[in-house]
Amino acid sequence: MKAAGTPFGTLTGKRAWTVPLIHVLLLGLSALFIFPLLWMLSTSLKPVDQIYAFPPVWVPKAMHWENYPKAVSYIPFWTYTFNTVFICVMGLIGAVLSNALVAYGFARLQWPGRDVLFGFTLATMMIPFPVVMVPLYGVFRELGWIGTTLPMWVPSWFAGAFNIFLLRQFFLRIPANLAEAARLDGASELRVFWSVYLPLARPALAVVALFHFIWAWNDFLGPLLYLPHQQSFTLAIGLQFYQSQHGGTQWHLLMAASMLTVLPVILLFFFTQRTFLQGLTFLKNTEAN
């Protein structure tokens, strides 16, 4: 195994025994992180009496697959799923387009105050959401958006500092002579952005899209603030209905619904991992240079 080009290249190049040691450590960490998922899967297939058994039962004596249909019918699961998918897709489209456009302006266009404004943009990353939570709620209330999904995805169409930074670093690595050649052929600046830079930035755009989708899919605080009506709830809020206010949480149903909730994210990463890792590798090399 060649260690060159890996994050542990310097370490493994000195000691041959470090390669299997690193693999063992990574396998141990993987088992640690996958433990909650396996326990959730096991609990989702158990009857109620085995959930509280001691010592814990890892493999149910009989697989209760009926927990999944019961979990879906316990709450308006598909309504919440549709709301969640709608918010994620609309926000994803806005995040990819707006962040790419702003990042292109910071990377390839020359205009007064560009670097200063970029610095202020990065500074906004230090402002936590609770600081702007109340002002944002007031703005959305004045717009009449409270109770709708608009506050959940419209802000994504106005770019964000973290994604702008990632895409800007990617655009800076694309040779500028490609854009100059397109301009000599009569292409406008918007055409250069759309036909030259965006196709080359697919790995970085995939990173931005996946990050936003996971964030929007798992977002709990946003729906809790802006969605007071049950018909507009997302899955993150809907899962709370399995916990009774008077005790007696339906753990087997909650775990089954949770498995169905995390499954789309797992499948999405599984089918896009090659593009996602290419984007992260390119971004890492960009920052190193």
Side-chain angles (χ1 to χ4, degrees):
M1 174 182 176
K2 293 183 178 181
T6 66
F8 306 100
T10 304
L11 178 63
T12 57
K14 297 179 179 179
R15 300 287 187 274
W17 54 266
T18 56
V19 175
L21 176 62
I22 290 174
H23 285 175
V24 171
L25 292 176
L26 291 177
L27 288 174
L29 289 174
S30 301
L32 180 64
F33 279 100
I34 203 174
F35 172 80
L37 182 64
L38 294 178
W39 182 254
M40 183 167 62
L41 177 61
S42 173
T43 306
S44 69
L45 296 173
K46 294 177 182 177
V48 178
D49 58 332
Q50 293 185 26
I51 294 176
Y52 302 100
F54 187 83
V57 178
W58 267 99
V59 181
K61 298 177 181 178
M63 300 293 182
H64 288 255
W65 296 101
E66 67 273 10
N67 290 343
Y68 284 86
K70 290 180 181 178
V72 170
S73 60
Y74 192 84
I75 62 173
F77 186 86
W78 300 119
T79 300
Y80 298 161
T81 301
F82 174 80
N83 296 336
T84 307
V85 171
F86 176 79
I87 291 172
C88 291
V89 171
M90 294 299 295
L92 184 149
I93 296 173
V96 170
L97 293 179
S98 63
N99 285 289
L101 189 60
V102 175
Y104 177 79
F106 279 126
R108 290 306 181 191
L109 299 183
Q110 300 293 331
W111 43 279
R114 182 192 66 174
D115 296 336
V116 175
L117 185 58
F118 180 68
F120 280 117
T121 301
L122 294 183
T124 61
M125 295 173 60
M126 296 184 291
I127 303 176
F129 179 73
V131 174
V132 298
M133 181 171 60
V134 175
L136 277 178
Y137 185 90
V139 170
F140 294 142
R141 183 184 59 185
E142 293 299 322
L143 293 173
W145 289 3
I146 302 300
T148 69
T149 59
L150 292 174
M152 307 302 304
W153 60 268
V154 169
S156 302
W157 288 75
F158 294 91
F162 179 73
N163 292 330
I164 291 173
F165 172 75
L166 288 182
L167 292 176
R168 175 183 177 272
Q169 296 303 108
F170 194 98
F171 287 151
L172 288 175
R173 289 294 303 273
I174 298 177
N177 56 6
L178 295 177
E180 294 174 359
R183 294 189 188 99
L184 291 177
D185 289 338
S188 63
E189 202 65 50
L190 187 61
R191 187 68 178 179
V192 171
F193 163 74
W194 187 263
S195 300
V196 177
Y197 278 81
L198 276 190
L200 295 175
R202 288 177 182 173
L205 295 176
V207 173
V208 172
L210 189 59
F211 278 171
H212 180 84
F213 184 90
I214 294 176
W215 171 82
W217 188 270
N218 297 324
D219 186 23
F220 177 80
L221 184 57
L224 185 65
L225 286 174
Y226 306 127
L227 304 178
H229 309 300
Q230 291 190 16
Q231 63 270 20
S232 60
F233 280 179
T234 61
L235 287 172
I237 298 293
L239 292 179
Q240 304 302 308
F241 286 102
Y242 293 99
Q243 301 180 6
S244 173
Q245 296 180 355
H246 305 287
T249 300
Q250 303 289 329
W251 289 110
H252 57 307
L253 301 184
L254 176 59
M255 294 299 103
S258 299
M259 279 299 303
L260 294 176
T261 301
V262 302
L263 185 61
V265 177
I266 296 175
L267 293 177
L268 179 65
F269 180 78
F270 178 80
F271 287 110
T272 61
Q273 60 177 324
R274 177 173 297 182
T275 304
F276 178 72
L277 293 177
Q278 286 177 353
L280 287 182
T281 303
F282 195 98
L283 291 170
K284 179 178 70 68
N285 295 335
T286 298
E287 294 177 0
N289 294 332

